[in-house]
Amino acid sequence: MALFDGKKKVCGYDVIREGEEVILYIYCDECTISPSIEDNPLCMSRTIEKLMEVTGVTKIIFSQKRDYEYDTAQTSMLVELANIYKTLLKQKSLFSLQAMSTVPGCNQCSNSRYFELQEIMRMFKGDPLGSYVEAKRILRREKINRDKLMEDKCAPCVDRYISIVTYIVQLLESTALVKLTQNQLAGFKVGDRTIYRNVFYPSIKPDFMFTKLMANYPTNGEELDNYTIGDDTEVTIFKFPDSTQYLYHLMPPEFKLSEEKYEILDLARKIMAEHKPKQEEFVDPERMRQVFFNVGRDLIEELSQAKKLSLTAKELDKLTTILVRYTVGFGLIEVLLQDEKIQDISINSPMGKIPMFVVHSDYDDCVTNIIPTKPEAESWASKMRMISGRPLDEADPILDAELELPGANTRVAVITKPLNPTGLAYSFRRHRDKPWTLPLFIKHKMISPIGAGLLSFLVDGTRTMLIAGTRSAGKSSLLSAIMIEIMRRYRIITVEDTLELPVNQMRNLGYNIQSMKVASALAHGSSELSAADGIRATLRLGDSALIVGEVRSAEAKALYEAMRVGAAANVVAGTIHGDSPYGVYDRVVNDIGIPKTSFKATDVIIVANPVRSADGLHRFRRVTQITEVRKFWEDDPIKEKGFVDLMRYDAKKDELLTTSELTNGESDILKAIAGNIKEFAGDWDAVWNNVLLRAQIKETLVKTSISLNDPDMLEAPFVIKSNDQFHIISDKVKEEMGSLDPKRIFFLWEDWLKRECKKRTIQSG
């Protein structure tokens, strides 16, 4: 924003031009009340007076500790009123005392009419709807009087008065404000500001931050849900009678502070801004935040003492957290990402005009009440460059990176000019704080218990798997859940260009896991190793399960080398874009150029896709196919039955169901697994019963979690304990009975579960 030249007196103003925007910036620091067009008739009146002086205004901002911004639509209504008032002033002879009478020497009614019109004009700037309603009332009265008129000599005066009032009414009826509120004016009382609050609602931005926020609740919205993030961030979900889009309304703590605290935060930010973090400081963002937190806390404490404002330790921490968010952090993005129900955040250009959008786990796509600004977007871009060590400019207009923020990890995609002609745009993909598990997916109906049991069997059978699906289908989440099924005794190596897999969480849970970060397929001139070289490097790191974050291009060749070399010893799995098994084949063979014979190294393709409701308003993530890739075909896997569905989604039942090929024991992949295991070789019933046993265990875990109201039982720590017990008990039963008796295994596992539940009940009670 440009520097201001105007004097910062009460209601002083400047005109700032930003591109096509003409902003009327009004200083209200010395005002004793908050600036509000909707609440204060004096504020509205003075604003219209300024709009009569300045032409072409597209936006109005009041500055008073916070910026109160009225957007283009609201400003245009005020500009329209200012122009009409200016027109009426030029025609003031119409409203003169002399104009009220057409009969020489007769002033019987002229005085009262004159004062009525003066009152309409007086109200016009501060209460235009009151002015309109009053004019309509006068018009109705005068028309009735005209019909009852007994003396013809009064008729010209009445007619003239009616014509003047009609002129005013017609001018006001032509305005957007009156058209918008026409059906709400029945019973309107002059001086009532309720209707104005339905029309004018500024976005609010404290001085210390750039983000604008529409703080008021929508007047025509129906509240669907409300909950709190942390201790003091309120979230309310609204729906509207004329829209399919929901509103995600956020009210964070930084918009609920006293003026004294705003002033302290603004001073602290200006002081902290003098120290700009260097790139090397962003290498360890967590430590940098801690340093800034400590410095900021001391600074806020010092400023509050100077202002003679007493703050508790909790208040100090709260203000410092806010300060850090708007200095080295990502502002309200961090608040949004603390909401575990947020899956994606979209920020489109041009900045300052369009609100953020989110994808909510319960309400799908929602518009928010948060409007990011251009300075904020540029600040984020600078931080992203330093954190990622990657360029973002005209030569490299795309940046993919990952962020570790308080309470959430996220993947960020940024685009800028020339790819995006209107500037910066962002997409934030929130990762769950804890790894997904198959029991969690059963609870959310993404997969059926038998589907989860089958995947568990395939993991222990060390098969090669590709998880396919469209964007936001849950591919990476499902891959994370499959990783949790790998026994902790085996080493895992992950290869990713953007770190999305829960490597740190799994390491903390005792996994032998090594992460490899490779160059993005979109990066140019990066010092990072290519994805293909990274995958080949894993083959030199010893016997390991290999997990590839996403198969995009040239790395597919290296991945298939790994599949062909490592499939017999360990799990090899990755995600790929594709909506069907043949879609995966087409992408791998025809687009990427993998030979057909190499593609046969894929054992199983798992397809996850969003499923929409009949009304189109809702979207659900579902595993829609589990398909094995057979080996005895030459040219076309479709014609030669190279793809065989083991499980297929039934839309009517909303469930992933087994196919006859699976239940009848016609799966080549499961037979291949059985052929390497003494207890399963040549015994399909033993194989199938083991799949069903795994399904029963996972389903029982889900039901127990729900019945005890203990959701943590479905999280990775407990699921891993359950998986460990399954393997330990299976080994024990095999030694005791000479076979993997599923009933005996389940009985012992269920006994273990009951003991664990009892422990958890005692600990929580």
Side-chain angles (χ1 to χ4, degrees):
M1 189 168 282
L3 292 173
F4 305 124
D5 300 320
K7 295 179 180 179
K8 295 186 179 180
K9 60 183 180 180
V10 177
C11 289
Y13 69 89
D14 274 301
V15 178
I16 298 104
R17 299 181 187 276
E18 289 184 351
E20 296 179 358
E21 297 279 18
V22 179
I23 303 168
L24 180 65
Y25 196 96
I26 304 172
Y27 302 103
C28 303
D29 289 324
E30 302 301 321
C31 294
T32 56
I33 58 173
S34 296
S36 173
I37 285 170
E38 60 274 21
D39 292 323
N40 192 331
L42 181 60
C43 182
M44 187 179 202
S45 177
R46 288 179 174 174
T47 302
I48 286 178
E49 287 172 2
K50 291 172 177 58
L51 291 172
M52 291 166 64
E53 299 172 10
V54 183
T55 58
V57 173
T58 59
K59 191 185 293 183
I60 299 168
I61 298 177
F62 295 98
S63 175
Q64 188 194 67
K65 304 297 180 192
R66 286 166 280 186
D67 281 356
Y68 299 80
E69 180 180 308
Y70 293 87
D71 64 21
T72 302
Q74 297 172 73
T75 299
S76 67
M77 285 190 272
L78 296 169
V79 169
E80 194 174 33
L81 290 168
N83 290 337
I84 288 175
Y85 190 77
K86 195 189 296 186
T87 299
L88 290 173
L89 285 184
K90 290 178 181 177
Q91 299 171 329
K92 60 182 180 181
S93 60
L94 281 175
F95 314 111
S96 66
L97 190 59
Q98 292 78 11
M100 295 302 103
S101 176
T102 59
V103 180
C106 177
N107 59 0
Q108 181 181 348
C109 306
S110 58
N111 287 345
S112 61
R113 289 170 180 163
Y114 172 75
F115 284 115
E116 279 183 338
L117 287 181
Q118 291 303 310
E119 181 62 15
I120 288 173
M121 291 295 287
R122 184 193 66 78
M123 279 195 294
F124 191 102
K125 293 180 292 179
D127 186 7
L129 292 177
S131 186
Y132 171 70
V133 169
E134 187 64 16
K136 287 278 286 183
R137 185 189 64 79
I138 292 170
L139 196 58
R140 281 195 300 271
R141 184 198 68 201
E142 291 300 319
K143 285 182 177 179
I144 292 170
N145 290 342
R146 178 69 174 83
D147 292 339
K148 295 179 180 179
L149 202 61
M150 302 298 294
E151 297 184 39
D152 290 341
K153 68 173 185 176
C154 294
C157 290
V158 176
D159 289 340
R160 180 174 178 79
Y161 190 44
I162 287 174
S163 68
I164 293 171
V165 177
T166 299
Y167 175 59
I168 296 171
V169 167
Q170 288 174 344
L171 284 176
L172 283 166
E173 283 181 339
S174 70
T175 65
L177 176 63
V178 172
K179 288 177 182 177
L180 190 64
T181 59
Q182 188 75 257
N183 61 353
Q184 303 173 48
L185 292 175
F188 177 84
K189 294 180 181 178
V190 173
D192 182 7
R193 306 296 293 182
T194 304
I195 294 181
Y196 293 111
R197 295 185 192 104
N198 297 343
V199 176
F200 297 102
Y201 34 87
S203 58
I204 303 171
K205 178 179 76 65
D207 280 357
F208 65 87
M209 60 188 286
F210 293 116
T211 314
K212 298 178 292 186
L213 187 134
M214 305 294 290
N216 293 345
Y217 288 142
T219 54
N220 61 333
E222 177 188 340
E223 184 176 319
L224 293 179
D225 195 4
N226 66 80
Y227 55 92
T228 303
I229 308 170
D231 295 329
D232 48 13
T233 299
E234 300 168 15
V235 173
T236 310
I237 310 293
F238 292 96
K239 74 172 184 178
F240 302 93
D242 55 352
S243 175
T244 59
Q245 198 170 49
Y246 294 144
L247 170 66
Y248 179 97
H249 188 283
L250 186 79
M251 184 54 67
E254 44 263 57
F255 284 85
K256 297 181 284 186
L257 301 175
S258 65
E259 295 300 328
E260 294 88 349
K261 289 178 181 177
Y262 279 128
E263 188 174 354
I264 287 170
L265 276 174
D266 190 37
L267 288 170
R269 183 189 63 82
K270 288 173 181 174
I271 294 169
M272 296 280 279
E274 293 177 10
H275 173 70
K276 291 186 171 25
K278 298 174 184 175
Q279 183 162 354
E280 53 268 26
E281 292 181 88
F282 276 100
V283 173
D284 189 352
E286 190 174 343
R287 173 165 171 72
M288 179 188 66
R289 276 178 173 269
Q290 190 58 53
V291 170
F292 269 72
F293 185 92
N294 294 338
V295 173
R297 195 179 193 280
D298 292 342
L299 177 58
I300 288 174
E301 188 171 22
E302 188 178 326
L303 289 171
S304 64
Q305 288 172 355
K307 295 281 184 183
K308 296 182 179 179
L309 179 65
S310 179
L311 297 175
T312 65
K314 187 175 181 180
E315 287 176 318
L316 271 173
D317 288 345
K318 179 178 175 179
L319 290 181
T320 307
T321 300
I322 293 171
L323 177 64
V324 171
R325 245 192 331 250
Y326 294 97
T327 49
V328 294
F330 285 78
L332 284 182
I333 290 291
E334 296 186 11
V335 181
L336 281 171
L337 290 172
Q338 287 170 16
D339 185 351
E340 293 183 355
K341 296 184 178 183
I342 293 295
Q343 297 171 348
D344 290 278
I345 303 171
S346 300
I347 304 172
N348 303 322
S349 61
M351 296 292 164
K353 295 184 177 181
I354 305 170
M356 294 183 189
F357 295 85
V358 297
V359 177
H360 193 279
S361 61
D362 297 337
Y363 299 100
D364 297 325
D365 298 271
C366 302
V367 63
T368 73
N369 61 326
I370 305 165
I371 304 172
T373 60
K374 188 176 179 180
E376 187 171 36
E378 290 171 348
S379 171
W380 294 339
S382 298
K383 290 167 187 170
M384 290 301 303
R385 292 185 193 99
M386 288 190 277
I387 290 169
S388 66
R390 293 172 176 172
L392 178 65
D393 49 36
E394 289 194 3
D396 296 276
I398 306 172
L399 173 60
D400 265 331
E402 58 282 340
L403 281 178
E404 289 188 27
L405 297 171
N409 293 331
T410 180
R411 175 179 176 176
V412 189
V414 194
I415 59 172
T416 188
K417 294 178 179 179
L419 183 62
N420 179 22
T422 51
L424 289 161
Y426 292 81
S427 177
F428 292 80
R429 168 71 58 84
R430 186 186 190 279
H431 301 315
R432 202 168 179 273
D433 302 336
K434 303 170 187 175
W436 278 95
T437 66
L438 291 179
L440 269 172
F441 280 132
I442 293 171
K443 181 181 178 182
H444 290 284
K445 299 187 71 175
M446 179 166 175
I447 195 168
S448 64
I450 293 179
L454 177 60
L455 293 186
S456 174
F457 188 86
L458 291 169
V459 168
D460 280 348
T462 65
R463 294 298 96 185
T464 63
M465 293 180 272
L466 284 179
I467 301 171
T470 58
R471 190 180 183 279
S472 298
K475 300 186 298 296
S476 295
S477 300
L478 184 55
L479 181 59
S480 299
I482 286 172
M483 290 169 67
I484 294 297
E485 293 298 305
I486 300 172
M487 282 191 275
R488 287 184 287 184
R489 65 190 297 177
Y490 299 121
R491 189 185 193 199
I492 303 171
I493 296 178
T494 65
V495 179
E496 300 177 88
D497 60 359
T498 302
L499 303 179
E500 294 186 271
L501 297 173
V503 172
N504 290 336
Q505 296 95 319
M506 291 182 69
R507 189 178 291 123
N508 294 335
L509 291 168
Y511 276 87
N512 178 6
I513 187 165
Q514 174 62 52
S515 172
M516 295 181 65
K517 187 174 187 299
V518 296
S520 168
L522 298 172
H524 302 289
S526 171
S527 61
E528 296 168 324
L529 201 67
S530 72
D533 289 339
I535 292 170
R536 290 191 179 99
T538 65
L539 301 179
R540 299 185 180 92
L541 294 177
D543 185 20
S544 308
L546 173 61
I547 307 295
V548 180
E550 186 168 343
V551 180
R552 289 191 178 94
S553 53
E555 70 271 15
K557 294 180 181 178
L559 175 63
Y560 275 92
E561 287 177 27
M563 283 183 174
R564 297 179 73 159
V565 171
N570 270 301
V571 175
V572 179
T575 65
I576 189 168
H577 283 280
D579 61 359
S580 66
Y582 187 81
V584 173
Y585 167 81
D586 191 38
R587 178 161 169 71
V588 169
V589 174
N590 297 326
D591 294 347
I592 299 176
I594 301 299
K596 295 175 183 178
T597 51
S598 296
F599 177 77
K600 294 178 187 179
T602 311
D603 289 326
V604 176
I605 296 172
I606 305 156
V607 181
N609 276 321
V611 175
R612 291 191 178 274
S613 60
D615 56 19
L617 295 176
H618 305 285
R619 205 170 40 177
F620 312 99
R621 290 176 174 177
R622 298 288 186 264
V623 173
T624 54
Q625 281 175 278
I626 299 177
T627 303
E628 72 174 23
V629 181
R630 293 191 169 171
K631 314 308 175 189
F632 302 105
W633 54 273
E634 297 297 330
D635 295 315
D636 191 325
I638 293 289
K639 291 180 180 178
E640 299 173 58
K641 298 183 180 179
F643 295 135
V644 175
D645 287 340
L646 303 181
M647 299 194 75
R648 193 181 300 117
Y649 177 72
D650 186 310
K652 287 186 178 179
K653 294 183 178 180
D654 187 26
E655 188 178 358
L656 185 68
L657 301 177
T658 57
T659 62
S660 59
E661 285 81 1
L662 177 59
T663 54
N664 294 337
E666 298 173 12
S667 166
D668 288 356
I669 298 300
L670 267 64
K671 287 178 183 176
I673 295 172
N676 294 320
I677 301 170
K678 177 184 175 182
E679 290 75 18
F680 295 150
D683 188 349
W684 170 253
D685 287 340
V687 172
W688 182 235
N689 286 336
N690 194 265
V691 171
L692 294 178
L693 170 63
R694 293 165 188 260
Q696 185 182 17
I697 285 173
K698 295 187 187 303
E699 186 175 24
T700 301
L701 196 57
V702 174
K703 289 179 177 177
T704 304
S705 166
I706 294 170
S707 67
L708 296 178
N709 193 25
D710 187 354
D712 284 345
M713 291 182 70
L714 305 184
E715 298 293 350
F718 195 82
V719 171
I720 291 166
K721 286 178 71 174
S722 172
N723 290 346
D724 285 351
Q725 284 300 313
F726 165 72
H727 289 106
I728 292 167
I729 291 168
S730 295
D731 188 57
K732 181 180 177 180
V733 170
K734 184 179 70 172
E735 288 184 7
E736 289 177 354
M737 304 181 66
S739 66
L740 294 173
D741 185 294
K743 291 183 180 179
R744 179 65 178 164
I745 293 170
F746 182 76
F747 174 81
L748 293 175
W749 176 86
E750 191 174 36
D751 186 58
W752 166 83
L753 179 64
K754 289 174 182 176
R755 293 196 306 272
E756 284 296 313
C757 290
K758 189 174 181 180
K759 285 182 193 175
R760 294 173 74 86
T761 303
I762 293 169
Q763 289 170 358
S764 63

